[in-house]
């Protein structure tokens, strides 16, 4: 199973580890694109601070994020699973998984990023600020920029596995599974059962719990239909809609009664 996750806007501090080595990151086919985005981001943030803040969509209170981006090549790096924080990652709680589940997480989880394209939770990266919705002056919209390199690399990363897509729309725009891979893909919405509405906070928290449940149980569904049964066995209320034609992803709704 390959699980596609969004990153978090908030991130832990980089710490004092060894600095980033772009060539050491997973999915080496993305390295040239990563180097390009990294160079453009550092140059932007080392120049006019107000322009950088505007481009990155940062409030006055987040002005310090611009300076942090100027040090990305020298800042300490930590595993991405420690850098990403927020509601989904709090619920996932990678640090408390048992060793076998952590190994499954290392193999299965792929976090999408405006700066890195996509990284595994074991990849060592510095803390940064650059969402997929950013338009860098020289590169344009990052989601559009990443589509070509992602299309080259991600099908191979998926292999013949089930793809569980938990990304938000901004990150899903960087790579959309096609053809046979799409037929093995399941997208998930989390709905408040009484209202049938998505509520952001518990949507993220429930997605984190879903991933944790799958990793902790050792369940290895081979396709979307098996995933539906696995989630139901784990206690989730799931409604599934198979695609009308081949080469399209499945749509899963997970219904949650309580907002927490």
């Amino acid at each position: 199973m390959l699980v596609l996750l969004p990153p978090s806007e908030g991130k832990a501090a980089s710490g004092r580890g060894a600095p980033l080595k772009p060539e050491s990151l997973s999915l080496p086919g993305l390295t040239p694109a990563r180097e390009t985005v990294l160079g453009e981001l550092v140059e932007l943030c080392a120049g006019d601070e107000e322009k950088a803040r505007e481009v990155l969509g940062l409030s006055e209170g987040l002005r310090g994020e611009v300076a942090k981006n100027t040090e990305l090549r020298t800042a300490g790096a930590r595993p991405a699973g420690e850098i990403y924080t927020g509601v989904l990652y709090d619920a996932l709680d990678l640090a408390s998984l048992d060793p076998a589940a952590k190994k499954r997480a290392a193999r299965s989880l792929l976090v999408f990023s405006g700066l890195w394209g996509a990284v595994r939770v074991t990849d060592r990266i510095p803390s940064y600020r650059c969402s997929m919705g950013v338009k860098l002056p020289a590169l344009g919209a990052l989601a559009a920029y990443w589509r070509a390199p992602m299309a080259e690399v991600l099908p191979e990363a998926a292999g013949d596995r089930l793809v569980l897509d938990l990304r938000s729309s901004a990150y899903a725009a960087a790579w959309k599974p096609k053809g046979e891979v799409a037929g093995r893909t399941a997208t998930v919405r989390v709905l408040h059962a009484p209202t049938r509405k998505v509520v952001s906070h518990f949507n993220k928290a429930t997605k984190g719990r879903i991933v944790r449940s799958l990793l902790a149980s050792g369940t290895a569904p081979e396709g979307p239909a098996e995933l539906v049964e696995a989630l139901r066995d784990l206690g989730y209320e799931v409604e599934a809609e198979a695609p009308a034609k081949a080469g399209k992803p499945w749509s899963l709704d997970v219904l949650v009664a309580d907002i927490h």
Side-chain angles (χ1 to χ4, degrees):
M1 177 172 60
L2 182 67
V3 182
L4 310 181
L5 296 174
S8 58
E9 286 297 317
K11 298 172 184 70
S14 293
R16 298 184 179 182
L20 169 73
K21 294 182 178 179
E23 69 278 5
S24 72
L25 299 178
S26 301
L27 309 178
L30 298 178
T31 299
R34 288 169 176 153
E35 289 279 14
T36 299
V37 178
L38 177 61
E40 291 292 341
L41 180 62
V42 171
E43 182 178 351
L44 169 71
C45 292
D48 186 325
E49 184 180 81
E50 289 303 316
K51 178 181 178 180
R53 193 161 65 86
E54 180 181 353
V55 170
L56 297 176
L58 301 176
S59 66
E60 175 66 31
L62 293 174
R63 180 182 293 273
E65 299 291 286
V66 175
K68 182 171 72 173
N69 279 349
T70 66
E71 301 174 351
L72 287 173
R73 296 189 185 277
T74 57
R78 297 167 58 186
E82 298 177 13
I83 290 290
Y84 294 116
T85 59
V87 175
L88 188 154
Y89 292 91
D90 285 347
L92 174 52
D93 195 8
L94 285 167
S96 69
L97 290 171
D98 65 41
K102 287 181 179 178
K103 288 181 180 179
R104 287 190 282 271
R107 294 192 302 266
S108 301
L109 306 187
L110 205 58
V111 184
F112 275 61
S113 163
L115 175 53
W116 314 116
V119 292
R120 299 196 185 280
V121 293
T122 51
D123 284 332
R124 299 180 64 83
I125 59 173
S127 183
Y128 68 96
R129 178 69 69 139
C130 183
S131 73
M132 192 65 82
V134 164
K135 295 182 179 179
L136 290 178
L139 298 181
L142 287 177
Y145 173 80
W146 280 112
R147 282 177 197 143
M150 290 287 197
E152 291 290 328
V153 172
L154 268 293
E156 181 179 353
D160 60 359
R161 294 183 288 174
L162 163 71
V163 178
L164 174 55
D165 191 350
L166 302 178
R167 298 172 296 167
S168 56
S169 57
Y171 291 89
W175 180 62
K176 296 183 179 180
K178 295 181 179 179
E180 195 266 337
V181 178
R184 290 184 278 106
T185 298
T187 62
V188 173
R189 296 189 307 173
V190 180
L191 303 181
H192 183 218
T195 64
R196 310 289 297 190
K197 293 181 179 179
V198 173
V199 180
S200 178
H201 179 90
F202 86 93
N203 170 58
K204 295 176 182 177
T206 302
K207 286 180 177 179
R209 294 187 193 107
I210 286 171
V211 177
R212 182 180 178 85
S213 296
L214 291 167
L215 293 172
S217 68
T219 302
E222 295 183 357
E226 292 84 359
L227 173 64
V228 172
E229 294 306 313
L231 291 175
R232 288 171 177 166
D233 289 344
L234 290 168
Y236 293 95
E237 184 179 352
V238 182
E239 294 179 353
E241 182 178 342
K245 58 181 180 180
K248 298 292 183 181
W250 284 53
S251 298
L252 276 57
D253 287 341
V254 176
L255 306 181
V256 180
D258 299 322
I259 298 177
H260 61 89

